[in-house]
Amino acid sequence: MTKRVWLNRDEDFRPGAELFRNERHFVLWSYSATHGQLLLRADHLPGKHDRLPTTVEVLFKPIEAVRMQGAYRGLTIRCATADEATRIERDVAGRLSPEARVLILESEGVTGHVVTLAVGWSEGVLSYLQPSLFNTFSPYNPVWPTKPLAGVGGELDVASPQAVAEAFRTGMPEGVRRERHRHVHLLTAVTEQDGRRTRHNLGVFLTEADAEEARRLIESDVASCWIEPLPMVL
């Protein structure tokens, strides 16, 4: 079961109030320019290499200014006091939104801040096929997520065609997170016989050039054909 908290109302952000505290090792995991999304992730304790059964993620959205480290050994998030907020807002270039909240990040005596409209966190079992607890499959956009955050940026590693071919030949280790993806190319055709049309998925190709060559070879013999790029998670 996934536990989730999302804070975006004025009453959620009382000056000086502590919002979140966790002893795990947090890392800056992803940033997406779309909606200014910034994601922190923690799946082990400081100084430990064994992955914990659950993953904790913290999402700020949208952010207007940020000053943070790449990693935190334990993390506390609290609302800035009135004096802290005034000082940070004075140091930010440009005008902030009236709804912006100044949040303080604290860890082992180090202080940073995020100016954002909302913050939330989620804890749950992160499948090795799921990029993030905050980016799941949507029936309104039926494409498998290939990045931790929706929108521009936040990509996973892009696998080479050779890596894809090797995965086909040797398989993938069990239980290893799928941190790479590559777009493969599905060639689909429609044939017509006796007035009836039938759709066929003819093949999946690692490169667009191969798919185009295959389409060229069969297009004169079918009613129609096309190529669809599909994300393949490795």
Side-chain angles (χ1 to χ4, degrees):
M1 181 177 179
T2 299
K3 303 175 184 177
R4 180 166 297 182
V5 175
W6 190 250
L7 307 178
N8 62 356
R9 302 173 301 174
D10 289 340
E11 53 265 36
D12 295 329
F13 299 95
R14 294 179 291 103
E18 181 178 299
L19 303 178
F20 175 86
R21 179 184 292 267
N22 194 287
E23 62 181 2
R24 297 190 184 202
H25 183 89
F26 285 84
V27 296
L28 175 56
W29 194 260
S30 184
Y31 172 77
S32 172
T34 305
H35 303 302
Q37 303 171 94
L38 189 148
L39 183 71
L40 303 178
R41 176 177 292 176
D43 56 16
H44 63 276
L45 294 172
K48 305 291 184 181
H49 298 290
D50 294 336
R51 189 180 175 198
L52 296 169
T54 62
T55 296
V56 176
E57 293 183 327
V58 179
L59 177 65
F60 303 91
K61 173 185 177 180
I63 61 169
E64 299 191 12
V66 61
R67 179 187 176 189
M68 66 165 46
Q69 299 182 173
Y72 293 97
R73 294 170 58 90
L75 178 65
T76 299
I77 303 174
R78 62 174 176 83
C79 299
T81 63
D83 289 343
E84 289 172 325
T86 299
R87 174 176 52 80
I88 292 170
E89 290 169 355
R90 185 174 60 242
D91 293 339
V92 174
R95 178 173 294 182
L96 298 174
S97 302
E99 302 86 4
R101 285 93 182 199
V102 182
L103 305 180
I104 304 298
L105 310 182
E106 296 178 327
S107 176
E108 296 185 319
V110 176
T111 301
H113 63 259
V114 178
V115 181
T116 184
L117 271 64
V119 62
W121 51 90
S122 184
E123 179 177 359
V125 177
L126 185 63
S127 163
Y128 61 84
L129 279 175
Q130 186 177 357
S132 168
L133 298 171
F134 282 100
N135 190 10
T136 57
F137 176 81
S138 169
Y140 302 103
N141 182 30
V143 177
W144 184 260
T146 57
K147 58 187 83 173
L149 294 172
V152 178
E155 293 282 359
L156 297 180
D157 292 336
V158 178
S160 66
Q162 292 78 15
V164 177
E166 184 67 20
F168 275 121
R169 287 195 297 267
T170 64
M172 299 294 292
E174 290 295 327
V176 175
R177 282 199 56 76
R178 304 300 196 244
E179 301 287 4
R180 299 179 301 171
H181 84 282
R182 184 168 189 84
H183 281 89
V184 294
H185 305 274
L186 173 65
L187 177 60
T188 301
V190 173
T191 59
E192 186 171 0
Q193 186 175 13
D194 300 328
R196 295 181 59 185
R197 290 195 164 213
T198 306
R199 175 171 169 162
H200 311 270
N201 292 328
L202 301 185
V204 176
F205 300 84
L206 298 186
T207 68
E208 186 176 7
D210 287 346
E212 288 287 356
E213 174 65 11
R215 183 181 65 82
R216 185 184 66 80
L217 293 172
I218 62 101
E219 61 184 348
S220 62
D221 298 313
V222 298
S224 62
C225 60
W226 61 92
I227 298 167
E228 296 180 69
L230 298 174
M232 176 182 178
V233 180
L234 290 182

